[in-house]
Amino acid sequence: MADVAPVLTIEASHKSRGAAYYAWHRFLANKGAVFAGVLLLLILLVAVFAPFLTGVGPNEQKYLTSALAFPSAEHWFGIDDLGRDYFTRIIHGARVSISIGLAAASFSVLIGLPLGAIAGYFGGTIDWFIMRIIEIFSVVPPLLAALLLAALTKGGYFNIVLIAALFGWVQVCLMVRAQVMAFRNKEFIRAAQALGGSTWYIILRHIIPNSISPIIVGFVLAIPLAMMLEAGLSFLGVGIPPPTPSWGQMINLGINFMFFYWHLALFPTLALAITVLVVTMFGDGLRDALDPTLKGR
Amino acid sequence: MNVALELRGLSKSFYKKQSSAGFFRSELVEHRAVDNVSICVPERKIVGLVGESGSGKSTVGLMAMRLLEPTSGDIVLNGTDISKLSPKELKPHRAQMQIIFQDSYSSLNPMMTLWEIVAEPFVIHKMHDANTRRNKAKELLDIVGLGAAFANRYPHELSGGQRQRVSIARALALKPKVLIADEPTSALDVSVKAQVINLLHDLQEEMGLSILFISHELSVVRSLVDEIVVMHRGRVVEQAQTEQIFQNAQHPYTKSLLDSIPVLNPHNRRRRTFVSANELTANKPRLPKAQFVLANNPNLAQVEDHHFVDASPLEGATS
Amino acid sequence: MIGYVVRRLLSISVTFIVVSILVFIMMHAIPGGPFDATEMPVSEAVRAKIMAQYGLDQPLYVQYLKYMWGVLHFDFGVPFQSPGETVIELLSRAWVPSLVLGGAGVLIGAPLGIALGLYAALNRNSWIDYLASAVATLGLTVPVFVTSMLLILVFAVWLGWLPASGWGSPRNWILPIVAYAAIPLATYARYTRSAMLDTLNKPFVTVLRAKGLSERDVIFKHVLRNSAIPMVTVFLPMFIGTATGSIFVEAMFRVPGLGAYFVSSIESRDYPLEMALVFIITLMFCIAYFLADIAYAMLNPRIRLGGR
């Protein structure tokens, strides 16, 4: 082997860095996303520990005598019309909103991932069929259809989750499909085929690991969509039925009182706006960090 | 002389929809990407498959690997016809023949470390335990000139030449008899190109490989291969031993390929000629009927020993 | 090109019919009709009579075909909630506020958004750029009813400048129009900016500058035209956003428009009105989808040959 170039060496100090390392650093460089992430963490903590943060339950009408009281040192967000501590209801609303977002996003991935992977990998008739289904979903405005479905099923927690997933999977599916299509003809897939790897082996070992970024991004971006859907439906009275606290429902209630008791309208509005904004900004930052080529999609 | 890989009359047609007949009626138009190509790779020899891009040479390589199903024709690997085997039956034969691709970057899964990539053949063929796989992968990396320090790197940390070495290591992991090299050097810098060529040459001698080397550069092929097959528009237009092609090319297309090789001495610079399709047909050699001796490709006439060219028969004449 | 148009038209018609069948089945298959025992406690005989009167006792496909036959004659039936008029009469009243407010919102928001996006792309990292990004993010993430609520709180409740609800005078229109305008404004600001930046980074722009073309010509003759494609693509989501937003804007500002009737028809299980509204909205979306496709094909010569 005289002619072969000398064995190539690499400095020992050079640390090997995987894709996750670079993604993490790209994320840290995005100040807005980091800020959103910190705020999101705070909101999550508040939601998780809501039962321990205030002394009362969200539905306890403990302060009936001072119903509709304005915010004070004792009741940060005031008291609602039925004598319940509004701050307690807002932070319990976060539990409802975020848990629906997470559950719906999980279902969206559960539906969108296999369909997207199948459509992207096999192409042809299967792809055509799945794309026609998606076309149907794209000419039906999701909120209107969701409204219809929610009204027909009379709302409720699990129906809302399922409805949100029904309209959330399309985006996940399209993202996974695009990624799989981009990778399907890569030569390392061909090399694995040349080695005799089965279709399942290739999908599990090569396609899915390389689709992790769009899956995570699709998951995170599906969360605010589901949260907005829930809030919208609850606002219109077909979502989460009272007395379970939901921000959309509370905003609707707030309209009736806004001229005199503005706090009933303001706090749920701000809570919803901030949470949705923070989740979206975090998701966008994550997308840009995980896969710069997905930017703006 | 034993034959390692024989391609017999391989053809591949692609069909394209063309809606010339109206809005809704469309007809399928056949495009023959590869037309009746027969190539024989003898044991321990390197055969070069040369042609411009779009000539169908890479399609031949993919079909030989059964990565693309031929429309017709047979693939005989070490005496077994593998062209009709099911994926399951084919799997053991896969170990006998491997391929390396042009694009070294997309040849390697970006999510896997180098040793995982090189150990993948063992995983697919369920050979060895985890530890042995790792050690064998490191040995292979060593053989292709990448030290053990590379084992835990990711593909994006390497240069093009280094990545191509990893591809070679992976292809050789199962100790195949036949290697198909699909333009492995076209994307590399000139100096790196020479290194990879030398590596392939050494490995071929050491492991007793037979190689089908696909390339569009005759100059790269000259130092490496024993025999050259020239393809143009999906057909073999000339095939001969390497020096026969360089000394005594018969077909106008081969001549124009030779003409495109840059010369070293600026005094010898000349204007290159590029033949059009019409000129090619018009200038096709016309040879006596008796010289058309191949049963599998009656378009090829024999000009000298081992040297065949695509020609039209000259009626009535004998030689 | 004509072949392409015809193919798209056929494909979108099939989609429309599939959607209408799905909606029809969905609305009838789920238990709990408008004349259920829980909703309307009357005797069996009376209920049967009412069901027969509205044709609800026939098999589903007969109901569907009858319905479609009526639709072809612009007959959407009589709304349950106001039996004194036909659905068409009711809708011909209701679309006016929606169109006035939504139309004004788009006409103000879209050009403003495009201008903002253009300016932001040409002056990267200026304060306008940051403003554009902020407006785009806010407008695209925060639901319309939240924006509306904040507008009402600030301008009606606290400042008292404008009325919070109603439809009577143009003064009532201002807040809803602003709420509407937020959607096209945000959509166009974001996509115009990113489309422009994409194009500005293409090598052909460098070539144009290198050959000495004035910056004005580069932008107006070449970059804008090449950025138009993503801007057309975004038309559909913008349209969907605005149309969907009308439900919330009208509920929020108590405007008697299509969105408001949609909500009330759902609340009262008013099949004829509900079906008609879904029908009209889906039809609008199909037309928008189709127009966006055609515009896309006209702007992008590459797609014409391929077809879909």
Side-chain angles (χ1 to χ4, degrees), chain A residues 1 14 188 194-195 201 206, chain B residues 94 106 109 120 125 153 206:
Chain A
M1 293 190 53
H14 177 91
F188 66 84
L195 285 164
Y201 170 86
H206 292 292
Chain B
R94 292 266 192 216
S106 79
N109 186 338
E120 191 180 10
H125 285 266
R153 316 253 144 230
E206 270 175 44

Side-chain angles (χ1 to χ4, degrees), chain A residues 30-63:
Chain A
N30 185 344
K31 294 282 175 283
V34 172
F35 178 71
V38 171
L39 221 55
L40 180 60
L41 191 70
L42 205 71
I43 295 173
L44 276 175
L45 285 177
V46 168
V48 169
F49 294 106
F52 310 105
L53 290 180
T54 55
V56 289
N59 298 325
E60 280 180 60
Q61 293 172 285
K62 233 176 158 177
Y63 312 102

